[in-house]
Amino acid sequence: MIDILRTERPRACGVRALAFGALTLLLAVAPAAGQQPDRAAETQPDRIPGWSFTPSLAFGATYDSNVALSTPRADLGFTEGDTFFNIVPGGQLGFIGKYTDFSANYRGFIRRYLDFDALNSYDQHASLSVKRLVSRRLTISARDTFTDTPTTDDTEVNGVPFLRAGSRSNILSVGSVYRIAKHTSLSSLYDQNWIEFDRSDIFLTGGWIHEVRNELSHRVSERVALGGEYSFRYATLDRGDRAFNFQDGGGVVHLSFGPHTSVTAAGGFSLLHDRNFDVSRTGPYVRLNLTQEAERATVGASFERQ
């Protein structure tokens, strides 16, 4: 969701039918819960085999003392605020099998303001994911995430026309892990990012980003794995008027400090090529990741510079 100041009135934006269809799918398949478990999943106490459906609903109220995120008005000496209510319906449909995991999620964010009702909105998020153990050496996975944030009506806040510019975005990821040898594996990932904004007359423009990433890793001990990585990204922005290529190549070190703590460090060189002006630039990159797994949560920190 992006807040901007404009004087022109946006087009009306209705509720998207896609998310309603996703919710209908969740409710329709819900009676399938309770299938017979398989033996492979029985060995993991935190995973319940078969189909499951989990509905959710959250409600809350928030007071925002500065709705427009602006400085105080000179004639009032303070900013205008308002109370809005949040209603978050959602649901998750899941399946855990011997070789396949499947999950479908939906969550909506309904905002209703008391005074500035022109800022009422209904954001929607839906995702699908599947993971399949094809063989003892090969595992494939896919995930798709869709987000819809509609444009709000034009209203005057603190004496300035105010609106939210809506957007739609989708992220598709398809990956695989292939174990070449006992201690050597190849990981591959394809990412597709797309975003589009509702208003074509503002400075916000959408586009596509395609990325292919590969990593070859070899475990030299129980706690250390060494490898190399290469990625290629192609970005086309401003409705195809701007195009860029990104290439990254370097080394990777995976460290394990216990059964629940891991660290990944990577570094190398990046190449950026502006296809419109035929200009290239190179420079180093570095990436650090720390992950800690607990009984009911996984936390971590990451840093990346390129």
Side-chain angles (χ1 to χ4, degrees), residues 77-152:
F78 58 86
T79 59
E80 293 188 73
D82 194 7
T83 298
F84 63 92
F85 296 94
N86 286 309
I87 304 174
V88 186
Q92 177 179 1
L93 174 69
F95 172 76
I96 298 177
K98 185 176 182 180
Y99 302 109
T100 305
D101 289 357
F102 170 81
S103 177
N105 298 270
Y106 170 78
R107 179 168 295 182
F109 295 86
I110 304 173
R111 296 182 184 86
R112 290 295 179 264
Y113 286 78
L114 292 181
D115 297 327
F116 299 103
D117 55 356
L119 298 180
N120 293 345
S121 64
Y122 183 19
D123 303 353
Q124 305 183 70
H125 304 262
S127 66
L128 291 171
S129 64
V130 61
K131 184 177 181 180
R132 173 72 175 177
L133 179 63
V134 179
S135 66
R136 298 181 59 183
R137 293 180 177 268
L138 177 63
T139 302
I140 59 175
S141 61
R143 180 177 179 83
D144 188 79
T145 303
F146 176 80
T147 302
D148 183 9
T149 303
T151 298
T152 61

Side-chain angles (χ1 to χ4, degrees), residues 206-229:
W208 296 80
I209 299 177
H210 303 269
E211 178 179 7
V212 177
R213 179 183 296 272
N214 294 280
E215 178 185 333
L216 181 64
S217 178
H218 179 74
R219 182 166 296 279
V220 297
S221 68
E222 294 184 358
R223 297 182 178 273
V224 181
L226 304 177
E229 64 177 10

Side-chain angles (χ1 to χ4, degrees), residues 29-102:
V29 187
Q35 284 192 352
Q36 293 295 325
D38 53 61
R39 297 180 180 178
E42 288 178 350
T43 61
Q44 304 183 41
D46 58 334
R47 289 163 53 88
I48 302 176
W51 288 97
S52 65
F53 174 66
T54 306
S56 64
L57 179 65
F59 177 84
T62 303
Y63 176 74
D64 188 349
S65 61
N66 190 354
V67 176
L69 301 176
S70 62
T71 57
R73 290 178 54 178
D75 55 342
L76 295 179
F78 58 86
T79 59
E80 293 188 73
D82 194 7
T83 298
F84 63 92
F85 296 94
N86 286 309
I87 304 174
V88 186
Q92 177 179 1
L93 174 69
F95 172 76
I96 298 177
K98 185 176 182 180
Y99 302 109
T100 305
D101 289 357
F102 170 81

